[in-house]
Amino acid sequence: MTLNNLEDLFVEQLRDLYSAETQILVALPEMAEAATSDELRKAFESHLKETRSQKKRLEKIFETLGEDPEGETCEGMKGLLEEGSEMLEKDGDRNVIDAGIIAAAQRVEHYEISGYGTARAYAERLGHDDAVGLLDESLDEESAANEKLTKIAESTVNPKATGAAARA
Ligand code: FE
Ligand code: ZN
Ligand code: FE
């Protein structure tokens, strides 16, 4: 698409986010299934529900703008999820693999936080107030998901993974 103004770039960035969320909807159930920690599995399952809402919020914004959500592939997310799925297939101690899955998932959340932050700033600049509110909600969920993963890693998974290394 031709980018002649910030509005065009806003739509392009939203399509990139839409592609990212669509890919994440496929990956999250696989990550949940691969997680050994109950807490981690539940975190992925609850973020899957949030991700469905996030995709719907984007659809709502596209509807308001009268634009098509399709048309972009988020290559960045594709790469991040490929790395995540490599981690799911690794052999080794389950606690260490869990720590590795968290590492991959947090890269995904940070990438999304960056994308939503930019889109939100454009929406604000362009006076798309409804979009600002919707993007804000998703941005808050991504931040909370990231923080939850930090908490799970630091309180349970990393300590267990450390123990695994000591036993080897
Ligand atoms: Fe998301
Ligand atoms: Zn992207
Ligand atoms: Fe997310």
Side-chain angles (χ1 to χ4, degrees), residues 21 24 47 51 54 109 112 116 142:
E21 297 293 11
I24 292 165
H47 198 50
T51 302
Q54 292 167 1
E109 296 314 320
E112 294 189 278
Y116 276 112
E142 308 295 21

mmCIF file with all atom_site columns, all heavy atoms in Angstrom, residues 21 24 47 51 54 109 112 116 142, ligand 1:
data_model
loop_
_atom_site.group_PDB
_atom_site.id
_atom_site.type_symbol
_atom_site.label_atom_id
_atom_site.label_alt_id
_atom_site.label_comp_id
_atom_site.label_asym_id
_atom_site.label_entity_id
_atom_site.label_seq_id
_atom_site.pdbx_PDB_ins_code
_atom_site.Cartn_x
_atom_site.Cartn_y
_atom_site.Cartn_z
_atom_site.occupancy
_atom_site.B_iso_or_equiv
_atom_site.pdbx_formal_charge
_atom_site.auth_seq_id
_atom_site.auth_comp_id
_atom_site.auth_asym_id
_atom_site.auth_atom_id
_atom_site.pdbx_PDB_model_num
ATOM   1  N  N   . GLU A 1 21  ? -1.559 -10.865 15.807 1.00 0.00 ? 21  GLU A N   1
ATOM   2  C  CA  . GLU A 1 21  ? -2.533 -11.495 16.711 1.00 0.00 ? 21  GLU A CA  1
ATOM   3  C  C   . GLU A 1 21  ? -3.079 -12.796 16.121 1.00 0.00 ? 21  GLU A C   1
ATOM   4  O  O   . GLU A 1 21  ? -3.277 -13.773 16.841 1.00 0.00 ? 21  GLU A O   1
ATOM   5  C  CB  . GLU A 1 21  ? -3.690 -10.539 17.032 1.00 0.00 ? 21  GLU A CB  1
ATOM   6  C  CG  . GLU A 1 21  ? -3.308 -9.261  17.769 1.00 0.00 ? 21  GLU A CG  1
ATOM   7  C  CD  . GLU A 1 21  ? -2.802 -9.484  19.198 1.00 0.00 ? 21  GLU A CD  1
ATOM   8  O  OE1 . GLU A 1 21  ? -2.528 -10.633 19.595 1.00 0.00 ? 21  GLU A OE1 1
ATOM   9  O  OE2 . GLU A 1 21  ? -2.659 -8.470  19.917 1.00 0.00 ? 21  GLU A OE2 1
ATOM   10 N  N   . ILE A 1 24  ? -0.548 -15.416 16.692 1.00 0.00 ? 24  ILE A N   1
ATOM   11 C  CA  . ILE A 1 24  ? -0.431 -15.764 18.113 1.00 0.00 ? 24  ILE A CA  1
ATOM   12 C  C   . ILE A 1 24  ? -1.568 -16.689 18.547 1.00 0.00 ? 24  ILE A C   1
ATOM   13 O  O   . ILE A 1 24  ? -1.381 -17.586 19.379 1.00 0.00 ? 24  ILE A O   1
ATOM   14 C  CB  . ILE A 1 24  ? -0.393 -14.477 18.974 1.00 0.00 ? 24  ILE A CB  1
ATOM   15 C  CG1 . ILE A 1 24  ? 0.913  -13.723 18.712 1.00 0.00 ? 24  ILE A CG1 1
ATOM   16 C  CG2 . ILE A 1 24  ? -0.522 -14.790 20.461 1.00 0.00 ? 24  ILE A CG2 1
ATOM   17 C  CD1 . ILE A 1 24  ? 0.930  -12.290 19.210 1.00 0.00 ? 24  ILE A CD1 1
ATOM   18 N  N   . HIS A 1 47  ? -4.189 -15.792 28.527 1.00 0.00 ? 47  HIS A N   1
ATOM   19 C  CA  . HIS A 1 47  ? -3.777 -14.810 27.514 1.00 0.00 ? 47  HIS A CA  1
ATOM   20 C  C   . HIS A 1 47  ? -4.362 -15.145 26.137 1.00 0.00 ? 47  HIS A C   1
ATOM   21 O  O   . HIS A 1 47  ? -4.559 -14.254 25.316 1.00 0.00 ? 47  HIS A O   1
ATOM   22 C  CB  . HIS A 1 47  ? -2.257 -14.666 27.442 1.00 0.00 ? 47  HIS A CB  1
ATOM   23 C  CG  . HIS A 1 47  ? -1.830 -13.405 26.746 1.00 0.00 ? 47  HIS A CG  1
ATOM   24 N  ND1 . HIS A 1 47  ? -2.336 -12.160 27.079 1.00 0.00 ? 47  HIS A ND1 1
ATOM   25 C  CD2 . HIS A 1 47  ? -0.982 -13.179 25.719 1.00 0.00 ? 47  HIS A CD2 1
ATOM   26 C  CE1 . HIS A 1 47  ? -1.802 -11.246 26.287 1.00 0.00 ? 47  HIS A CE1 1
ATOM   27 N  NE2 . HIS A 1 47  ? -0.990 -11.835 25.446 1.00 0.00 ? 47  HIS A NE2 1
ATOM   28 N  N   . THR A 1 51  ? -6.211 -12.570 23.843 1.00 0.00 ? 51  THR A N   1
ATOM   29 C  CA  . THR A 1 51  ? -5.769 -12.386 22.453 1.00 0.00 ? 51  THR A CA  1
ATOM   30 C  C   . THR A 1 51  ? -6.967 -12.401 21.496 1.00 0.00 ? 51  THR A C   1
ATOM   31 O  O   . THR A 1 51  ? -6.999 -11.635 20.531 1.00 0.00 ? 51  THR A O   1
ATOM   32 C  CB  . THR A 1 51  ? -4.737 -13.480 22.083 1.00 0.00 ? 51  THR A CB  1
ATOM   33 O  OG1 . THR A 1 51  ? -3.643 -13.388 23.003 1.00 0.00 ? 51  THR A OG1 1
ATOM   34 C  CG2 . THR A 1 51  ? -4.211 -13.302 20.670 1.00 0.00 ? 51  THR A CG2 1
ATOM   35 N  N   . GLN A 1 54  ? -8.392 -9.071  21.715 1.00 0.00 ? 54  GLN A N   1
ATOM   36 C  CA  . GLN A 1 54  ? -7.518 -8.097  21.051 1.00 0.00 ? 54  GLN A CA  1
ATOM   37 C  C   . GLN A 1 54  ? -7.743 -8.104  19.538 1.00 0.00 ? 54  GLN A C   1
ATOM   38 O  O   . GLN A 1 54  ? -7.785 -7.051  18.900 1.00 0.00 ? 54  GLN A O   1
ATOM   39 C  CB  . GLN A 1 54  ? -6.053 -8.412  21.373 1.00 0.00 ? 54  GLN A CB  1
ATOM   40 C  CG  . GLN A 1 54  ? -5.723 -8.160  22.844 1.00 0.00 ? 54  GLN A CG  1
ATOM   41 C  CD  . GLN A 1 54  ? -4.397 -8.751  23.265 1.00 0.00 ? 54  GLN A CD  1
ATOM   42 O  OE1 . GLN A 1 54  ? -3.673 -9.344  22.466 1.00 0.00 ? 54  GLN A OE1 1
ATOM   43 N  NE2 . GLN A 1 54  ? -4.056 -8.579  24.532 1.00 0.00 ? 54  GLN A NE2 1
ATOM   44 N  N   . GLU A 1 109 ? 5.548  -10.681 23.722 1.00 0.00 ? 109 GLU A N   1
ATOM   45 C  CA  . GLU A 1 109 ? 4.793  -9.623  24.416 1.00 0.00 ? 109 GLU A CA  1
ATOM   46 C  C   . GLU A 1 109 ? 5.458  -8.266  24.229 1.00 0.00 ? 109 GLU A C   1
ATOM   47 O  O   . GLU A 1 109 ? 4.780  -7.265  23.987 1.00 0.00 ? 109 GLU A O   1
ATOM   48 C  CB  . GLU A 1 109 ? 4.619  -9.949  25.911 1.00 0.00 ? 109 GLU A CB  1
ATOM   49 C  CG  . GLU A 1 109 ? 3.789  -11.206 26.202 1.00 0.00 ? 109 GLU A CG  1
ATOM   50 C  CD  . GLU A 1 109 ? 2.502  -11.298 25.391 1.00 0.00 ? 109 GLU A CD  1
ATOM   51 O  OE1 . GLU A 1 109 ? 1.820  -10.269 25.204 1.00 0.00 ? 109 GLU A OE1 1
ATOM   52 O  OE2 . GLU A 1 109 ? 2.179  -12.405 24.925 1.00 0.00 ? 109 GLU A OE2 1
ATOM   53 N  N   . GLU A 1 112 ? 4.684  -6.946  20.829 1.00 0.00 ? 112 GLU A N   1
ATOM   54 C  CA  . GLU A 1 112 ? 3.307  -6.445  20.762 1.00 0.00 ? 112 GLU A CA  1
ATOM   55 C  C   . GLU A 1 112 ? 3.166  -5.100  21.486 1.00 0.00 ? 112 GLU A C   1
ATOM   56 O  O   . GLU A 1 112 ? 2.465  -4.203  21.010 1.00 0.00 ? 112 GLU A O   1
ATOM   57 C  CB  . GLU A 1 112 ? 2.347  -7.447  21.414 1.00 0.00 ? 112 GLU A CB  1
ATOM   58 C  CG  . GLU A 1 112 ? 2.223  -8.764  20.691 1.00 0.00 ? 112 GLU A CG  1
ATOM   59 C  CD  . GLU A 1 112 ? 1.095  -9.566  21.297 1.00 0.00 ? 112 GLU A CD  1
ATOM   60 O  OE1 . GLU A 1 112 ? 1.314  -10.218 22.335 1.00 0.00 ? 112 GLU A OE1 1
ATOM   61 O  OE2 . GLU A 1 112 ? -0.019 -9.526  20.731 1.00 0.00 ? 112 GLU A OE2 1
ATOM   62 N  N   . TYR A 1 116 ? 1.584  -1.881  19.712 1.00 0.00 ? 116 TYR A N   1
ATOM   63 C  CA  . TYR A 1 116 ? 0.376  -1.206  20.218 1.00 0.00 ? 116 TYR A CA  1
ATOM   64 C  C   . TYR A 1 116 ? 0.689  0.208   20.689 1.00 0.00 ? 116 TYR A C   1
ATOM   65 O  O   . TYR A 1 116 ? -0.141 1.113   20.537 1.00 0.00 ? 116 TYR A O   1
ATOM   66 C  CB  . TYR A 1 116 ? -0.279 -2.023  21.347 1.00 0.00 ? 116 TYR A CB  1
ATOM   67 C  CG  . TYR A 1 116 ? -1.193 -3.102  20.829 1.00 0.00 ? 116 TYR A CG  1
ATOM   68 C  CD1 . TYR A 1 116 ? -0.885 -4.448  20.974 1.00 0.00 ? 116 TYR A CD1 1
ATOM   69 C  CD2 . TYR A 1 116 ? -2.386 -2.773  20.169 1.00 0.00 ? 116 TYR A CD2 1
ATOM   70 C  CE1 . TYR A 1 116 ? -1.714 -5.448  20.487 1.00 0.00 ? 116 TYR A CE1 1
ATOM   71 C  CE2 . TYR A 1 116 ? -3.232 -3.755  19.680 1.00 0.00 ? 116 TYR A CE2 1
ATOM   72 C  CZ  . TYR A 1 116 ? -2.881 -5.094  19.842 1.00 0.00 ? 116 TYR A CZ  1
ATOM   73 O  OH  . TYR A 1 116 ? -3.716 -6.071  19.353 1.00 0.00 ? 116 TYR A OH  1
ATOM   74 N  N   . GLU A 1 142 ? -1.314 -6.653  27.276 1.00 0.00 ? 142 GLU A N   1
ATOM   75 C  CA  . GLU A 1 142 ? 0.013  -7.156  26.871 1.00 0.00 ? 142 GLU A CA  1
ATOM   76 C  C   . GLU A 1 142 ? 1.031  -6.901  27.987 1.00 0.00 ? 142 GLU A C   1
ATOM   77 O  O   . GLU A 1 142 ? 1.849  -7.765  28.303 1.00 0.00 ? 142 GLU A O   1
ATOM   78 C  CB  . GLU A 1 142 ? 0.502  -6.499  25.573 1.00 0.00 ? 142 GLU A CB  1
ATOM   79 C  CG  . GLU A 1 142 ? -0.452 -6.542  24.396 1.00 0.00 ? 142 GLU A CG  1
ATOM   80 C  CD  . GLU A 1 142 ? -0.756 -7.920  23.844 1.00 0.00 ? 142 GLU A CD  1
ATOM   81 O  OE1 . GLU A 1 142 ? -0.564 -8.932  24.547 1.00 0.00 ? 142 GLU A OE1 1
ATOM   82 O  OE2 . GLU A 1 142 ? -1.218 -7.986  22.692 1.00 0.00 ? 142 GLU A OE2 1
HETATM 83 FE FE  . FE  B 2 .   ? -1.804 -9.708  21.595 1.00 0.00 ? 1   FE  B FE  1
#
